[in-house]
């Protein structure tokens, strides 16, 4: 009669010992040993939001100005419009716009009056995100300008609660988003361009400004994601990144499920932290490209060519729904996630064109989501490149073949066994299939406009093929 009790005590002891071993130390060897929470790899699709005072001028160069990808970021307005260094080749573009639109004596701080957020309805935003099929959201709590979207004590009179809209924008949105069953976290810039303390005393800035802000953000809102940026000025030791992450993993209220990225110091991208991040298909450290795909990773990009809303962009600057769905398929088939950015307006609206793109993605995911959510990369997948139109994901013993172009000829799929059933997601009819050498050949059914299940990309499910 005592044996069950002894067994239970033994299990409890083992569990306690395991938990005790999971305490993380403030060094990269220990921090990097923490697994990325499984929910992130299952989620696959998230929404990035760049919103701040830069949303008032809402201006940046475009492809028509013949500038590079990183030169088109409207959220860099303050820095780019004041930095006359010859290396800043976009300074004349920003400066010309600034003087023509606001006059020669205008200060960036004056944009506070225009950041009204009059039309910001967090529940409506959350509905847009839910309809898009996104499983998580990341909001810029503070960009490099230092203006916070929550009432930060370290940003007195330089936050959305003290000035401008006089609202806790970060708090209002996370409440609405989580109520829809969507995870949410925050982007946070480690550095601030013009903070006097940062410019004169980095150690004091980290100790008295940055770390207290980050801990306040975590304890106040309990985010699912802490997505840092602006790390490149200093090594992680200067930012005391491992110290913060040890606190986050050991002591914080989100220690079990929180996901972090790899932007913790100028040496860390693609090497240390949590998920690895790419941006508009660029891995910032060329030597880390292989590593960037060896663990959970995420591509971030805008629907347009800027993260912050850019009024200068035309239709040609925006990716089409087809292009965005293809990007999502490509990233997921490679084993990654897509964090797709929107740039709301200064009065709190999600531009209609962005809403339309998100709705189209959501409509596609309604039909084909099982080939995206919870899937993993198929190790035997043929090499993917810019010309690939047939992608693969897997879930258990099932294989999904995703065609970004309707197959006019039979599809040959090597290295699989005869499936129990082959179907076209969203279509009730049969899909002809036969053995072909070491694999299978399947033929797309003949469809009409009334029977085609979706637009842009089509998924064949091969049940039990693995």
């Amino acid at each position: 009669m005592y044996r069950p009790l002894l067994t239970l005590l033994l299990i409890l002891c083992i569990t306690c010992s395991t938990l005790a071993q999971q305490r993380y130390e403030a060094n990269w060897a220990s921090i990097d040993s923490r697994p990325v929470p499984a929910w992130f790899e299952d989620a696959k699709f998230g929404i990035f939001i760049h919103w701040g005072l830069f949303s008032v001028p809402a201006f940046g160069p475009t492809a028509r100005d013949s500038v590079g990808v990183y030169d088109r970021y409207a959220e860099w307005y303050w820095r780019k419009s004041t930095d006359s260094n010859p290396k800043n080749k976009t300074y004349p573009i920003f400066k010309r716009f600034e003087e023509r639109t606001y006059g020669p004596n205008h200060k960036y701080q004056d944009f506070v009056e225009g950041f009204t957020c009059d039309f910001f309805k967090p529940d409506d935003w959350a509905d847009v995100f839910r309809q898009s099929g996104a499983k998580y959201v990341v909001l810029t709590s503070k960009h490099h300008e230092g203006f916070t979207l929550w009432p930060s004590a370290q940003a007195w009179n330089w936050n959305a609660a003290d000035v401008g809209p006089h609202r806790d924008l970060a708090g209002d949105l996370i409440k609405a988003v989580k109520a829809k069953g969507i995870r949410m976290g925050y982007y946070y810039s480690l550095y601030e361009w013009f903070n006097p303390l940062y410019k004169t005393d980095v150690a004091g800035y980290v100790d008295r400004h940055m770390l207290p802000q980050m801990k306040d953000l975590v304890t106040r809102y309990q985010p699912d994601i802490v997505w840092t940026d602006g790390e490149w000025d200093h090594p992680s030791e200067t930012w005391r990144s491992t110290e913060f992450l040890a606190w986050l993993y050991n002591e914080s209220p989100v220690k079990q499920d929180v996901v972090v990225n790899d932007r913790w110091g100028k040496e860390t991208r693609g090497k240390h932290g949590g998920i690895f991040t790419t941006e508009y298909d660029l891995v910032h450290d060329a030597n880390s490209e292989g590593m960037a795909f060896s663990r959970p990773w995420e591509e971030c990009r805008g629907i347009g060519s800027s993260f912050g809303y850019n009024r200068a962009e035309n239709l040609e600057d925006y990716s089409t729904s087809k292009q965005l769905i293809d990007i999502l398929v490509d990233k997921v088939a490679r084993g990654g996630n897509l964090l797709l950015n929107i740039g709301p307006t200064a009065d709190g609206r999600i531009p209609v064109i962005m809403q339309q793109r998100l709705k189209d993605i959501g409509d596609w995911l309604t039909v084909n989501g099982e080939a995206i959510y919870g899937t993993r990369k198929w190790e035997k997948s043929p090499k993917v490149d810019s010309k690939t139109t047939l992608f693969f994901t897997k879930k258990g013993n099932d294989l999904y073949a995703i065609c970004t172009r309707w197959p006019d000829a039979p599809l040959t799929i090597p290295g699989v066994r005869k499936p129990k059933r082959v179907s076209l997601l969203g279509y009730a009819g049969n899909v002809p299939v036969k053995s072909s050498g070491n694999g299978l050949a399947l033929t797309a059914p003949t469809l009409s406009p009334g029977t085609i299940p979706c637009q842009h990309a089509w998924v064949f499910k091969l049940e039990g093929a693995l």
Side-chain angles (χ1 to χ4, degrees), residues 228-455:
T228 49
D229 192 30
E231 81 290 357
W232 47 79
D233 269 9
H234 304 284
S236 59
E237 182 178 3
T238 299
W239 295 120
R240 292 164 59 185
S241 296
T242 56
E243 176 185 328
F244 171 78
L245 290 168
W247 171 83
L248 187 70
Y249 292 166
N250 296 324
E251 311 296 339
S252 80
V254 295
K255 59 186 178 182
Q256 297 296 331
D257 280 349
V258 70
V259 169
V260 304
N261 65 354
D262 57 349
R263 304 184 180 195
W264 296 97
K266 65 180 182 180
E267 84 285 11
T268 64
R269 288 200 194 190
K271 294 182 176 66
H272 298 299
I275 64 169
F276 292 161
T277 57
T278 64
E279 188 170 319
Y280 282 95
D281 287 327
L282 296 177
V283 180
H284 287 259
D285 181 349
N287 295 324
S288 71
E289 185 171 359
M291 292 184 63
F293 301 98
S294 67
R295 62 182 300 173
W297 62 277
E298 174 187 75
E299 158 79 355
C300 68
R301 61 168 55 222
I303 295 176
S305 57
S306 173
F307 285 99
Y309 178 53
N310 184 358
R311 293 182 291 168
E313 289 185 331
N314 290 331
L315 182 61
E316 64 194 36
D317 296 301
Y318 283 82
S319 297
T320 65
S321 297
K322 163 68 173 170
Q323 289 170 327
L324 293 172
I325 290 169
D326 286 358
I327 290 169
L328 173 62
V329 169
D330 174 80
K331 302 311 172 190
V332 173
R334 294 173 188 259
N337 286 22
L338 174 63
L339 184 63
L340 184 64
N341 182 79
I342 61 169
T345 61
D347 57 10
R349 293 172 293 115
I350 299 174
V352 172
I353 190 171
M354 298 183 186
Q355 294 187 45
Q356 185 268 329
R357 297 294 192 262
L358 294 182
K359 183 181 184 302
D360 285 350
I361 296 173
D363 290 345
W364 186 84
L365 284 168
T366 297
V367 176
N368 303 292
E370 71 168 277
I372 300 296
Y373 305 126
T375 62
R376 296 295 184 268
K377 177 182 178 180
W378 183 35
E379 296 83 357
K380 295 182 179 181
S381 172
K383 184 178 179 180
V384 173
D385 59 31
S386 60
K387 297 180 180 179
T388 299
T389 59
L390 178 60
F391 299 83
F392 296 94
T393 61
K394 69 173 186 177
K395 187 184 297 179
N397 293 325
D398 298 336
L399 182 68
Y400 299 91
I402 309 174
C403 304
T404 55
R405 186 177 65 195
W406 182 258
D408 297 323
L411 295 175
T412 300
I413 303 175
V416 297
R417 61 192 180 192
K418 185 177 180 179
K420 298 176 181 177
R421 180 173 180 265
V422 177
S423 60
L424 173 64
L425 296 188
Y427 174 70
N430 295 323
V431 176
V433 61
K434 63 180 181 180
S435 298
S436 175
N438 294 324
L440 296 172
L442 62 87
T443 303
T446 301
L447 302 178
S448 68
T451 58
I452 193 166
C454 61
Q455 300 294 319

Side-chain angles (χ1 to χ4, degrees), residues 88-108:
N88 176 17
K89 298 185 183 303
T90 59
Y91 172 75
I93 299 173
F94 279 96
K95 190 63 177 177
R96 187 163 54 247
F97 172 83
E98 167 86 6
E99 294 184 349
R100 182 180 69 244
T101 309
Y102 302 106
N105 299 318
H106 185 268
K107 303 297 182 184
Y108 189 82

Side-chain angles (χ1 to χ4, degrees), residues 28-345:
W28 282 122
S30 179
I31 295 300
D32 290 343
S33 71
R34 179 183 183 263
V36 173
W39 73 259
F40 178 83
E41 279 196 275
D42 290 339
K44 299 302 180 189
F45 179 44
I47 302 296
F48 215 179
I49 309 171
H50 275 64
W51 197 31
L53 295 191
F54 48 81
S55 305
V56 179
F59 173 81
T62 69
R64 298 183 299 280
D65 295 301
S66 299
V67 297
V69 173
Y70 292 125
D71 292 322
R72 304 175 198 171
Y73 292 175
E75 66 275 13
W76 278 65
Y77 184 94
W78 193 6
R79 176 69 173 268
K80 296 291 188 178
S81 65
T82 55
D83 181 9
S84 59
N85 188 308
K87 292 183 179 180
N88 176 17
K89 298 185 183 303
T90 59
Y91 172 75
I93 299 173
F94 279 96
K95 190 63 177 177
R96 187 163 54 247
F97 172 83
E98 167 86 6
E99 294 184 349
R100 182 180 69 244
T101 309
Y102 302 106
N105 299 318
H106 185 268
K107 303 297 182 184
Y108 189 82
Q109 290 82 348
D110 297 334
F111 286 133
V112 165
E113 296 181 2
F115 192 55
T116 63
C117 308
D118 291 332
F119 295 101
F120 173 51
K121 296 180 179 179
D123 289 336
D124 289 353
W125 282 29
D127 282 336
V128 170
F129 304 149
R130 179 182 54 79
Q131 188 179 49
S132 77
K135 298 300 183 182
Y136 60 102
V137 173
V138 179
L139 170 71
T140 48
S141 66
K142 182 198 76 170
H143 201 257
H144 312 322
E145 63 187 10
F147 186 87
T148 71
L149 300 191
W150 88 98
S152 168
Q154 289 73 36
W156 177 82
N157 220 36
W158 193 234
N159 68 74
D162 288 347
V163 295
H166 295 283
R167 291 181 64 175
D168 179 1
L169 303 175
D172 288 350
L173 187 60
I174 198 170
K175 180 179 179 180
V177 167
K178 288 195 170 186
K180 301 292 183 182
I182 305 171
R183 291 183 180 268
M184 183 172 160
Y186 298 110
Y187 164 111
Y188 178 89
S189 173
L190 300 184
Y191 88 149
E192 296 178 14
W193 289 318
F194 303 112
N195 185 308
L197 183 58
Y198 177 72
K199 291 170 71 69
T200 59
D201 180 7
V202 174
Y205 168 87
V206 170
D207 182 58
R208 302 195 298 274
H209 184 86
M210 188 197 86
L211 289 177
Q213 268 194 337
M214 295 177 74
K215 289 185 176 182
D216 176 48
L217 197 62
V218 170
T219 55
R220 186 189 294 252
Y221 303 117
Q222 301 187 23
D224 297 297
I225 303 164
V226 176
W227 210 102
T228 49
D229 192 30
E231 81 290 357
W232 47 79
D233 269 9
H234 304 284
S236 59
E237 182 178 3
T238 299
W239 295 120
R240 292 164 59 185
S241 296
T242 56
E243 176 185 328
F244 171 78
L245 290 168
W247 171 83
L248 187 70
Y249 292 166
N250 296 324
E251 311 296 339
S252 80
V254 295
K255 59 186 178 182
Q256 297 296 331
D257 280 349
V258 70
V259 169
V260 304
N261 65 354
D262 57 349
R263 304 184 180 195
W264 296 97
K266 65 180 182 180
E267 84 285 11
T268 64
R269 288 200 194 190
K271 294 182 176 66
H272 298 299
I275 64 169
F276 292 161
T277 57
T278 64
E279 188 170 319
Y280 282 95
D281 287 327
L282 296 177
V283 180
H284 287 259
D285 181 349
N287 295 324
S288 71
E289 185 171 359
M291 292 184 63
F293 301 98
S294 67
R295 62 182 300 173
W297 62 277
E298 174 187 75
E299 158 79 355
C300 68
R301 61 168 55 222
I303 295 176
S305 57
S306 173
F307 285 99
Y309 178 53
N310 184 358
R311 293 182 291 168
E313 289 185 331
N314 290 331
L315 182 61
E316 64 194 36
D317 296 301
Y318 283 82
S319 297
T320 65
S321 297
K322 163 68 173 170
Q323 289 170 327
L324 293 172
I325 290 169
D326 286 358
I327 290 169
L328 173 62
V329 169
D330 174 80
K331 302 311 172 190
V332 173
R334 294 173 188 259
N337 286 22
L338 174 63
L339 184 63
L340 184 64
N341 182 79
I342 61 169
T345 61

